[in-house]
Amino acid sequence: MRWAWRGLALLALASVGAFLLLRVPDSDRAAMRAKYGAPPSRFVTLPGGPAVHYRDEGPRDALAIVLLHGSNADLHTWQPWVDRLKARHRILRFDQRGHGLTGPAPDGDYSPAAFAADLDALTRKLEVERFVLAGNSMGGGIAARYAMTHPERLAGLVLIDAAGAPVERTGGGNLAFTLARVPGVAQAFSAILPRSLIERSLRQSVSNRAVVTPAAVDRYWELARYPGNRAATLARFGQSAKPFTLEEMRRITVPTLILWGAEDQLIPAAAARWFAGAIPGARAIIYPGIGHLPMEEAADRSAADLEAFVTAAAQVRIGG
């Protein structure tokens, strides 16, 4: 019996030693700000909220496009669109709470309502009164919810592989997201978080793997380890998520464009068709051979489709 206890003790010590050996520390706050927060980046503290990292580019007299990134992403995911559109359109993007250089929320609130409140506070702070709102994945779910509650502020809504449709996933999904939902395992992998896991998860999320560059993997890995972001991720994934109902979608009255990758393994294209049928007047464009990030994987096509939609929305504003 004594040897059994000794064996268990040695196994426990070995496990703790392996954990401490493999644990990856937080990235350095100052180094990350220098690397990912250089101009045109700015920071603004919202009332009772986080110090938000944002970029506001393009002509100020143009109808603004506000972009919401997905879970565990950051404002840099929109760079292909910004490069193509900022000469003609005002584009505001920011790291949402618990992400990127914005970091964890002071109040620890990662509910959809808190994300939407940050969006509302930031746009008002920057005097962006009416805008086209676009969101990818988690950001798409937040955008849809905002459109339900603040239709008077929106000239249009763009859902890009958005979360929230009551549709079952049929593909293999994303390893990192899967692990983040398993109690106990999530805490361990959050602490260890090897770069290889980030690269594998990003590759699982896209079909055009040319976008999975070493620089992109570094960015996801480093900003995932920005102080406080790992705890924020665990808090978010620990919440129960309720899909939208048909009745909720009927409350969206603004013009809506749906952009989707046909090969999305995280949120299947069936969700695009559900949104298109549920939101009055919505139009869907599905890109063959593209996964979860059309703004990166099919930058030219998706930016052109977005621009046509925004141009029409601006003409309605001028005509009105």
Side-chain angles (χ1 to χ4, degrees):
M1 190 68 177
R2 182 181 300 173
W3 288 107
W5 281 111
R6 285 183 179 179
L8 287 173
L10 287 172
L11 179 62
L13 285 173
S15 299
V16 170
F19 177 81
L20 293 175
L21 181 65
L22 295 173
R23 185 181 184 278
V24 178
D26 285 344
S27 53
D28 181 76
R29 188 188 306 270
M32 292 301 97
R33 285 204 170 200
K35 185 173 183 178
Y36 298 112
S41 284
R42 296 182 179 180
F43 293 83
V44 61
T45 300
L46 302 180
V52 173
H53 171 223
Y54 74 96
R55 292 186 176 182
D56 187 0
E57 301 167 84
R60 291 298 182 268
D61 59 346
L63 177 63
I65 307 168
V66 179
L67 304 173
L68 302 179
H69 63 73
S71 177
N72 296 91
D74 58 87
L75 61 76
H76 295 275
T77 193
W78 302 109
Q79 195 61 48
W81 274 9
V82 175
D83 290 341
R84 288 160 176 77
L85 300 174
K86 68 179 180 181
R88 299 174 300 280
H89 303 277
R90 182 181 182 182
I91 304 178
L92 171 63
R93 50 188 167 140
F94 64 100
D95 290 342
Q96 301 191 76
R97 57 174 55 205
H99 294 79
L101 299 181
T102 293
D107 58 6
D109 187 353
Y110 297 102
S111 65
F115 283 94
D118 286 345
L119 164 64
D120 195 62
L122 179 64
T123 51
R124 293 184 190 279
K125 180 86 171 179
L126 300 179
E127 299 181 347
V128 181
E129 296 303 327
R130 197 159 183 265
F131 51 93
V132 170
L133 178 61
N136 171 243
S137 194
M138 176 194 79
I142 295 165
R145 193 168 299 279
Y146 191 83
M148 283 186 266
T149 55
H150 296 282
E152 75 286 350
R153 301 203 64 206
L154 299 186
L157 172 68
V158 184
L159 301 179
I160 308 131
D161 296 69
V167 172
E168 290 291 329
R169 189 177 72 201
T170 56
N174 178 300
L175 178 60
F177 285 2
T178 301
L179 292 173
R181 290 188 170 92
V182 181
V185 173
Q187 284 79 357
F189 271 93
S190 176
I192 296 170
L193 198 63
R195 184 183 183 278
S196 58
L197 175 64
I198 299 299
E199 180 172 7
R200 180 177 177 184
S201 297
L202 188 54
R203 285 185 174 276
Q204 289 176 326
S205 298
V206 300
S207 291
N208 177 6
R209 294 194 169 92
V211 304
V212 187
T213 63
V217 176
D218 282 346
R219 190 186 82 240
Y220 274 91
W221 186 50
E222 290 171 344
L223 292 180
R225 296 183 294 113
Y226 189 76
N229 280 356
R230 282 188 275 193
T233 297
L234 292 176
R236 282 191 299 106
F237 277 90
Q239 298 174 345
S240 59
K242 292 178 61 177
F244 291 122
T245 65
L246 188 62
E247 292 72 21
E248 287 177 314
M249 293 296 96
R250 296 292 188 218
R251 289 162 48 193
I252 296 179
T253 57
V254 300
T256 301
L257 175 65
I258 298 162
L259 305 179
W260 221 276
E263 296 184 4
D264 190 337
Q265 299 297 304
L266 286 177
I267 309 177
R273 293 186 280 273
W274 184 85
F275 278 121
I279 300 172
R283 182 169 70 96
I285 300 174
I286 298 178
Y287 303 110
I290 298 302
H292 192 59
L293 304 175
M295 64 283 191
E296 296 190 52
E297 298 179 66
D300 288 335
R301 283 180 287 166
S302 60
D305 290 331
L306 173 69
E307 184 165 35
F309 178 75
V310 172
T311 299
Q315 290 172 346
V316 169
R317 182 183 65 161
I318 293 170

